[in-house]
Amino acid sequence: MKYFLLKYLLWLATACMLWSALAGAQNAPASAPTPSTPKQLAAAIDAQIEQPRFASASWGIAVVSLDTGRTLYSHDAERLLQPASTAKLYTAALVLDTIGTDYRIPTQLLATRQLVQGRLEGPLILRGMGDPTLGTPDTNMDWTDQLASQLAASGVHEVQGDLIADDSYFQGPQDGSGWEARDLQSWFAVPSSALSVQENMVHVTVTPATAPGHPAALTFDLAGAIPHVVNTLTTSTQDTRNDVNLYRAPGDATLYAFGHIAAHAEPQTFKLAIADPAWYAGTQLREALERHGVHVHGALRVRHWPEQDSTDPGKAVVLAQVLSPPVMEILNRGLKRSQNLYLQNLLQIAGVKALANAGQSGDPPAGFLSSEAWGTRALKDLLERIGIAPGMAQIEEGAGLSRKNLSTPNAFVRLLTYLASQSYAAQLRDALPAAGVDGTLEGRMRNTAAADNVRAKSGSMSNVRCLVGYVTTAAGERLAFAIMLNNFARADDEPSPSRNLDSIVELLAAFSGKS
């Protein structure tokens, strides 16, 4: 009897699986044919954006042929929307227009007093000029040793004055306009300092003690990067849920760690912003100077805006310097990874240049503007030359972190069209993430017509998803596109709306017709 019951149950399970498969096949939508006419393409895109879950959201889409100039698809393309990190494309355009592809950003050691028998009779100044790659694995990881060895080779072995870490090259606050206060301790909203080092980010690891009731340990991959820590984290029993909290108030250098981590739990690592990158850079340099036999008798000081340097810049002597990679390489790294520090620093470098140009033109500024504001002012001038009116794009900072940034899809495709006509067009296209290959698009659109075809900048923040860039259709037509989704509310069980943006781009890549 048991044998027959078991046999019946196996038959029933098999029948249920077959019935489920048949029912699923009947209910699954038929795969849509590849669009071959603009009308079919428009219908396929409409099907993506008109899903019920987007009923309360705002879409804006523009697709334009770079070959004919015709608009292939448009949906609310004049609507101002938040671009998130796709705003980095505006910064890139300004940087390439005002700084160029080959400029290398210096970081210098300066002296303002004379050198007497190997002794500097005054302060030694570490001057940052905005290099965001200083001390990264790919660039000048040993920058302090390079500077110290150059200084020693020039005959300096003793500094009678202070070591001054000076990041006042950028004028204005170190956080971008519109950046949210709660983000400022996070790795993606680090201070934008003219003396940045190791991307102004520190890794903090929390490790439980061996037994409950004992303090948990905090370790930092950059010793001294966060000099003031108040740690009240404890080790809880093994069966408790971890509750690790790290908090540093905006403008405060003290990190507070509180809560608990379970005994025998795996260590947890967090990425935080360094509160004062210039100070940390100075501590690193001082250690390197000692290693190379250069003794500093004075203290380490920092010079931040709005503190002014009373020294005549023309009297400062450059004793040593290291150079960044060319700007195009910095843009490549910044756009591939969507690295906020890189683009915000580059915007401010462009702003410093714009201020200098205004002074040389005999039209000095009427009042104070920050380096960031000078950069966005120069950007507005560039956009007007391109034909993008102020009502089409309002960009307040360089990284895309601010919700004050606004752009229409039409403004984006006009920008892309302009960039595609410049001498650096191929370099910029290669700097954008490639679908399914690298950067922020490495895991997207794989095994589709868009893979290693689309070059685009993504943008993402709460309730915002955007994708802006270039694609070549199956018929060989080059397109510029901007797809922007704002104000969506995603249910927990729903897929990411990024998949819908990707589906639209995949339709463009597979399109076999002509505009």
Side-chain angles (χ1 to χ4, degrees):
M1 183 67 180
K2 290 182 180 179
Y3 170 76
F4 288 109
L5 179 60
L6 177 61
K7 188 173 182 180
Y8 171 75
L9 290 173
L10 288 172
W11 173 86
L12 183 62
T14 303
C16 287
M17 286 190 291
L18 288 172
W19 175 256
S20 177
L22 288 170
Q26 290 174 349
N27 294 329
S31 56
T34 301
S36 58
T37 67
K39 186 175 181 180
Q40 291 175 348
L41 177 66
I45 296 175
D46 289 344
Q48 288 290 331
I49 67 177
E50 291 174 358
Q51 295 180 29
R53 69 189 185 116
F54 298 126
S56 300
S58 302
W59 284 94
I61 303 176
V63 183
V64 171
S65 170
L66 294 175
D67 298 327
T68 67
R70 297 192 186 100
T71 297
L72 186 58
Y73 181 87
S74 178
H75 175 89
D76 281 351
E78 291 293 344
R79 182 189 293 253
L80 282 167
L81 297 166
Q82 294 177 14
S85 279
T86 58
K88 289 181 171 70
L89 289 169
Y90 284 107
T91 308
L94 172 68
V95 168
L96 292 169
D97 182 72
T98 59
I99 302 175
T101 59
D102 299 327
Y103 175 65
R104 298 164 74 97
I105 308 162
T107 302
Q108 301 173 330
L109 285 182
L110 305 177
T112 58
R113 303 284 181 84
Q114 62 181 355
L115 179 66
V116 179
Q117 296 181 340
R119 185 174 65 250
L120 180 61
E121 300 285 352
L124 179 65
I125 302 170
L126 171 61
R127 185 192 193 209
M129 299 174 69
D131 180 3
T133 69
L134 195 66
T136 60
D138 298 326
T139 307
N140 292 329
M141 192 66 183
D142 60 345
W143 67 277
T144 56
D145 287 302
Q146 290 186 51
L147 290 176
S149 64
Q150 290 178 43
L151 186 66
S154 72
V156 178
H157 300 292
E158 193 173 357
V159 178
Q160 286 293 94
D162 295 335
L163 174 61
I164 301 175
D166 184 356
D167 70 353
S168 62
Y169 186 74
F170 291 164
Q171 298 186 40
Q174 292 191 339
D175 50 295
S177 294
W179 291 11
E180 296 185 3
R182 64 180 180 178
D183 292 339
L184 297 182
Q185 76 167 6
S186 302
W187 62 271
F188 58 84
V190 300
S192 177
S193 170
L195 187 49
S196 293
V197 60
Q198 289 170 272
E199 298 183 351
N200 300 345
M201 181 180 66
V202 59
H203 290 78
V204 183
T205 301
V206 180
T207 305
T210 55
H214 294 275
L218 255 64
T219 55
F220 301 86
D221 68 330
L222 304 179
I226 299 183
H228 306 296
V229 179
V230 177
N231 178 20
T232 60
L233 274 164
T234 60
T235 305
S236 56
T237 57
Q238 188 171 353
D239 58 349
T240 56
R241 183 177 181 178
N242 294 335
D243 179 32
V244 176
N245 302 276
L246 302 173
Y247 175 72
R248 180 175 60 80
D252 190 352
T254 301
L255 175 68
Y256 294 89
F258 56 95
H260 59 261
I261 184 170
H264 305 294
E266 290 294 322
Q268 293 189 354
T269 298
F270 305 86
K271 296 186 290 186
L272 299 181
I274 296 176
D276 191 343
W279 182 88
Y280 181 64
T283 63
Q284 286 191 310
L285 178 63
R286 185 163 192 154
E287 293 172 0
L289 290 171
E290 290 292 338
R291 288 196 299 270
H292 288 267
V294 180
H295 182 62
V296 180
H297 289 280
L300 170 62
R301 294 196 291 115
V302 293
R303 181 183 291 140
H304 299 306
W305 174 89
E307 181 183 350
Q308 298 295 317
D309 182 5
S310 59
T311 306
D312 181 357
K315 294 182 179 180
V317 177
V318 178
L319 300 176
Q321 76 172 7
V322 292
L323 299 176
S324 75
V327 160
M328 193 69 239
E329 185 176 332
I330 298 175
L331 275 177
N332 186 300
R333 298 185 199 178
L335 293 173
K336 291 285 188 187
R337 296 168 51 202
S338 200
Q339 221 291 349
N340 294 324
L341 172 67
Y342 287 22
L343 275 294
Q344 182 68 5
N345 270 24
L346 288 174
L347 173 74
Q348 296 200 78
I349 293 171
V352 171
K353 183 174 181 180
L355 172 59
N357 290 342
Q360 293 170 2
S361 67
D363 182 24
F368 172 77
L369 287 177
S370 67
S371 300
E372 178 193 65
W374 274 105
T376 56
R377 177 171 163 168
L379 174 60
K380 290 174 185 176
D381 292 341
L382 172 63
L383 296 184
E384 287 186 8
R385 283 191 275 124
I386 294 173
I388 299 175
M392 298 173 66
Q394 293 287 334
I395 305 300
E396 301 296 329
E397 45 84 50
L401 279 174
S402 173
R403 291 187 180 271
K404 293 168 63 179
N405 293 330
L406 294 170
S407 177
T408 67
N410 275 347
F412 266 124
V413 294
R414 190 165 295 181
L415 178 72
L416 291 171
T417 301
Y418 166 80
L419 293 172
S421 68
Q422 302 304 302
S423 59
Y424 49 73
Q427 291 174 279
L428 178 63
R429 186 180 183 278
D430 289 342
L432 294 172
V437 176
D438 62 19
T440 55
L441 297 184
E442 181 177 2
R444 296 171 60 173
M445 293 174 271
R446 290 181 174 178
N447 304 313
T448 71
D452 202 18
N453 171 359
V454 169
R455 299 292 188 277
K457 184 72 199 71
S458 59
S460 177
M461 59 172 56
S462 298
N463 311 118
V464 175
R465 294 292 185 276
C466 300
L467 195 59
V468 178
Y470 302 105
V471 61
T472 301
T473 70
E477 188 170 13
R478 299 175 306 131
L479 305 177
F481 65 86
I483 306 170
M484 307 179 71
L485 172 63
N486 280 198
N487 307 318
F488 74 92
R490 177 187 174 190
D492 292 338
D493 59 344
E494 289 181 340
S496 168
S498 295
R499 183 66 198 109
N500 297 90
L501 275 70
D502 291 352
S503 294
I504 294 170
V505 177
E506 290 163 11
L507 288 168
L508 298 177
F511 181 57
S512 59
K514 286 289 185 180
S515 61

